[in-house]
Amino acid sequence: MCGIVGFVGAEDAAPILLDSLERLEYRGYDSAGIAVVDRESGLQVEKCKGYVSELRGRLTQRAPMTGCAGIGHTRWATHGEPNDINSHPHVSQNGRVAIVHNGIIENYIHIKEFLLSRGVTFASDTDTEVVAQLLEYFFNDCDDIMDAVYQVLDRLEGAYALGILCADTPDRIIAARKDAPLLIGYGEGCSFIASDVTAVIAHTRTVSYMEDGEVAVLTRGRVEVFDEYRRPVEKTSHYVDWDVSAAEKGGYAHFMLKEIHEQPQAVRSTISPYLRDGKIRFDGLSVSTDYINGLRDIHIIACGSSYHVGMIGKYNLERLVRVPVSVSLASEFQYSDPLVGRDSLIIAISQSGETLDTITAVKTVRSRGAHVLSIVNVVGSSLARISDDVLYTRAGPEIAVATTKAYSTQLVMLNMLGLYFAEQRGSVAPDEYAAIVTALEALPAQMQQVLDDTDEYQYLASQYFNRERVFYIGRNLDYALGLEGSLKLKEISYIHSESYAAGELKHGTISLIEDGTLVIALATYAPLFEKALANVREVQARGADVLALTTADRAGALLENVHNLMTVPDTHLILQPNLGVIPLQLLAYYIALQRGCDIDKPRNLAKSVTVE
Ligand code: G6P
């Protein structure tokens, strides 16, 4: 989704804004722009369709932009095609204010009609421009920018994170938020706003997160925040311990490849705070043993790959905890009038903690009394702040749109949580518990083993990169794993792929198999290996070209039957997807590479989806 940055300090804002925008590029976008203000030159704006590099090019062809306060934006088009005019910042007709916006103004047509009837002229097709025009309209009337801002916010329906620059007050930027992420960064003699912490960590690690209804006024050495009634608000600041280099490529061709290789370390860091002396401990959780014992059901809600983690979680939690577990797409769940109450535990999973569908679903269940435990990667993010309990994965900043290390860390976190609940409820045998703990301890090294030899995946990619459709099949955990493998492939290579429960093949899918169709058969789930083998034969009999994935000790049995084989080490069966996902990620990566795709920023996709 759109990225927002803002800076006010002692030096020229333009270079800092450009640098921060580049750090937001990973979110996915189609145009970029900045606005800077100073007393002599007033508002200066440059914006264009395309990447920040194109914006930089434009800036070299014009007089330097001077001014120590500015705002910047990367746009992911919703209203109006991606072009120069629809790019942000949007400037009001008399040039008094400039606006950057993330979110959707739902009543923009209504506001536009009102302003058109008052003689205001519009330049763009966007919903955002109405905010700039309405702000100037009120500002002309009251001549107090804060009064005008509050009058505008009163009339907006929808979601917004706004950065505002005003020609009359060149010493400040103003920010406002409702249902879209926005943070404040506190630097040495300077202040920032940003939609995401990666934009500012090169300058400051101290941030606070704006809440719905808040308005912030940032000047060089001071930040003031007010609530919706204009009362001052005391903000709590958070220290972000992410390393700046973690958000840089560090010699890898793509962030995605780097993040694939960071998985052993990310998983180790996620496990270690909770695993001591052979025991999983979640001492900080507010749920009591009585509550865990009285649990009626667990509902997992998430989107995208986080939902796929939930799919694996359903199998593993039911197996360990012995309570019914449902897993739902947050976008569906929020409108389903869910049957949850005080004895329901909601587990919300999100890398960013800013996915609007997940946040809305959580608000729905909280209003019905359910307890919400979130698994989140970004400290202090919106989802974390509205949850009863938060468990942070320690993946570090994930930049590639296609998630890899966040997925792996979410998986181990959910498994540890299941194991912890199971121990409290007495639903796991002590030797089984010990076996899983031992397997967890060994997992990072086993993941590294898979990553130590990537030549094989490059070779396989060279064999398959020109296919136009691919099917993944598997049963139980392999089915859930196939959903993620298939998503990785389609996201970054644009090959049409689907994942099917292998037992369902006969009920329709098998009619799609013809001579040479590529089927990726997942057979890592030991209890159903023989059935997986039968499914391989079934598709081969219809001409499929089968690439299989299995564990080292079953490789022999499969090799006789398939064209190509990928293997991973054996682990406890509930952790097997943590190893199985790596070959699927690497295969998708190298296939996309061979197809010449923009791997870190796939078309039309965004890293953090903050609109419905
Ligand atoms: C986007 C990303 C996916 C991610 C999904 C959910 O679609 O491209 O990689 O899985 O959002 O995001 P979340 O931050 O809630 O995990």
Side-chain angles (χ1 to χ4, degrees):
M1 299 287 113
C2 304
I4 288 181
V5 296
F7 168 81
V8 53
E11 53 206 294
D12 270 336
I16 294 171
L17 294 172
L18 287 170
D19 177 64
S20 296
L21 284 181
E22 268 160 359
R23 292 177 188 275
L24 287 182
E25 287 196 289
Y26 75 94
R27 295 166 65 101
Y29 69 108
D30 43 53
S31 38
I34 59 171
V36 165
V37 66
D38 78 358
R39 207 161 285 287
E40 288 74 46
S41 317
L43 280 178
Q44 308 138 71
V45 179
E46 195 61 61
K47 54 185 189 168
C48 61
K49 180 182 172 186
Y51 288 164
V52 179
S53 52
E54 270 145 290
L55 179 63
R56 277 192 187 278
R58 292 278 184 106
L59 288 166
T60 59
Q61 293 158 25
R62 56 165 288 159
M65 290 172 99
T66 54
C68 301
I71 51 179
H73 192 263
T74 49
R75 175 171 187 248
W76 192 85
T78 56
H79 293 63
E81 62 169 298
N83 62 27
D84 289 2
I85 292 178
N86 289 336
S87 309
H88 300 211
H90 288 283
V91 180
S92 56
Q93 66 174 7
N94 296 317
R96 290 188 88 182
V97 296
I99 301 278
V100 289
H101 167 224
N102 178 21
I104 293 175
I105 305 299
E106 285 165 4
N107 60 338
Y108 82 103
I109 292 179
H110 180 71
I111 298 174
K112 193 166 181 174
E113 280 167 358
F114 166 80
L115 290 168
L116 285 169
S117 74
R118 301 284 190 288
V120 175
T121 53
F122 283 79
S124 76
D125 307 319
T126 63
D127 55 331
T128 302
E129 191 185 348
V130 303
V131 184
Q133 302 292 10
L134 191 63
L135 183 57
E136 183 175 273
Y137 177 82
F138 287 132
F139 189 28
N140 287 342
D141 200 40
C142 67
D143 219 30
D144 180 313
I145 189 64
M146 285 300 276
D147 272 353
V149 166
Y150 272 91
Q151 286 186 66
V152 169
L153 298 182
D154 240 15
R155 285 159 181 80
L156 297 184
E157 286 167 21
Y160 51 80
L162 291 168
I164 302 168
L165 210 55
C166 176
D168 301 57
T169 52
D171 63 332
R172 70 194 56 191
I173 51 179
I174 299 171
R177 165 201 158 122
K178 182 175 160 272
D179 293 333
L182 197 58
L183 62 84
I184 298 167
Y186 304 85
E188 289 281 318
C190 60
S191 318
F192 298 84
I193 55 168
S195 44
D196 153 347
V197 75
T198 47
V200 300
I201 46 171
H203 304 279
T204 178
R205 304 297 183 80
T206 311
V207 302
S208 65
Y209 294 90
M210 290 184 70
E211 300 293 345
D212 285 348
E214 287 181 351
V215 176
V217 181
L218 292 83
T219 50
R220 212 165 122 174
R222 185 150 187 223
V223 176
E224 292 173 288
V225 182
F226 304 95
D227 69 8
E228 59 189 305
Y229 305 108
R230 267 181 102 163
R231 295 175 303 206
V233 175
E234 210 47 61
K235 297 297 291 178
T236 312
S237 58
H238 300 260
Y239 181 78
V240 182
D241 65 359
W242 285 355
D243 190 351
V244 185
S245 67
E248 288 164 359
K249 278 190 205 150
Y252 284 91
H254 294 95
F255 279 111
M256 183 179 178
L257 188 61
K258 175 173 177 254
E259 288 161 4
I260 288 172
H261 282 272
E262 283 172 347
Q263 290 180 107
Q265 183 51 41
V267 163
R268 189 175 291 117
S269 305
T270 301
I271 294 173
S272 63
Y274 304 106
L275 179 53
R276 263 167 285 143
D277 308 325
K279 281 257 180 239
I280 304 287
R281 296 173 205 269
F282 285 105
D283 298 337
L285 288 186
S286 70
V287 287
S288 63
T289 305
D290 279 354
Y291 173 84
I292 295 168
N293 280 320
L295 262 184
R296 190 188 61 183
D297 45 27
I298 296 175
H299 300 264
I300 302 175
I301 48 180
C303 302
S305 295
S306 299
Y307 167 76
H308 294 159
V309 170
M311 289 288 290
I312 290 177
K314 175 181 162 58
Y315 290 113
N316 285 349
L317 264 57
E318 283 189 343
R319 188 182 336 248
L320 293 168
V321 188
R322 306 308 298 158
V323 295
V325 179
S326 77
V327 52
S328 306
L329 292 164
S331 53
E332 289 296 316
F333 188 82
Q334 61 180 300
Y335 297 115
S336 66
D337 195 7
L339 293 168
V340 296
R342 295 202 172 276
D343 41 11
S344 303
L345 174 68
I346 308 300
I347 303 179
I349 309 174
S350 174
Q351 184 284 127
S352 62
E354 300 296 350
T355 304
L356 186 60
D357 284 323
T358 309
I359 289 170
T360 313
V362 162
K363 286 180 180 166
T364 308
V365 295
R366 285 207 61 170
S367 69
R368 295 173 187 211
H371 188 95
V372 176
L373 185 159
S374 292
I375 297 178
V376 180
N377 192 43
V378 179
V379 173
S381 54
S382 302
L383 181 59
R385 299 202 305 280
I386 60 168
S387 301
D388 299 294
D389 280 301
V390 188
L391 293 174
Y392 285 113
T393 47
R394 298 192 59 88
E398 191 178 63
I399 305 296
V401 165
T403 180
T404 52
K405 61 178 179 169
Y407 172 91
S408 296
T409 54
Q410 290 166 347
L411 266 186
V412 286
M413 186 63 94
L414 201 50
N415 284 328
M416 287 195 294
L417 188 66
L419 199 54
Y420 173 73
F421 284 170
E423 194 209 9
Q424 303 275 305
R425 291 170 64 93
S427 54
V428 60
D431 52 348
E432 173 82 342
Y433 181 94
I436 299 174
V437 166
T438 306
L440 268 171
E441 285 168 335
L443 192 61
Q446 289 184 307
M447 294 171 80
Q448 189 56 55
Q449 213 180 312
V450 181
L451 287 164
D452 281 343
D453 183 13
T454 58
D455 292 355
E456 180 191 346
Y457 306 104
Q458 298 184 47
Y459 164 75
L460 290 171
S462 72
Q463 303 294 296
Y464 297 123
F465 78 96
N466 55 5
R467 301 301 172 99
E468 284 315 317
R469 57 200 184 109
V470 177
F471 298 117
Y472 291 71
I473 59 170
R475 289 169 181 264
N476 199 279
L477 292 177
D478 281 331
Y479 164 52
L481 176 63
L483 293 170
E484 178 60 10
S486 165
L487 179 62
K488 284 290 86 81
L489 186 70
K490 70 183 113 180
E491 276 181 311
I492 61 169
S493 74
Y494 315 141
I495 294 174
H496 178 218
S497 77
E498 296 295 337
S499 176
Y500 293 102
E504 275 292 292
L505 281 173
K506 296 187 212 54
H507 301 291
T509 317
I510 204 154
S511 66
L512 296 170
I513 307 293
E514 52 191 14
D515 256 356
T517 303
L518 176 59
V519 173
I520 300 185
L522 309 183
T524 70
Y525 183 64
L528 295 176
F529 180 75
E530 291 304 325
K531 292 203 184 296
L533 209 52
N535 290 129
V536 165
R537 294 198 183 104
E538 203 172 36
V539 292
Q540 276 181 328
R542 273 86 186 168
D545 192 356
V546 176
L547 166 63
L549 172 71
T550 192
T551 51
D553 63 348
R554 289 186 178 76
L558 256 171
L559 252 184
E560 294 163 16
N561 291 277
V562 299
H563 298 106
N564 275 311
L565 185 65
M566 303 178 281
T567 56
V568 289
D570 276 288
T571 177
H572 189 282
L573 66 88
I574 73 161
L575 303 182
Q576 203 67 61
N578 258 108
L579 296 174
V581 76
I582 297 175
L584 304 185
Q585 294 165 343
L586 287 167
L587 187 67
Y589 173 81
Y590 286 116
I591 285 178
L593 192 67
Q594 299 240 0
R595 288 167 75 95
C597 298
D598 189 351
I599 293 180
D600 284 338
K601 296 191 287 283
R603 70 182 178 213
N604 303 338
L605 294 179
K607 180 73 182 160
S608 175
V609 181
T610 52
V611 294
E612 246 192 68

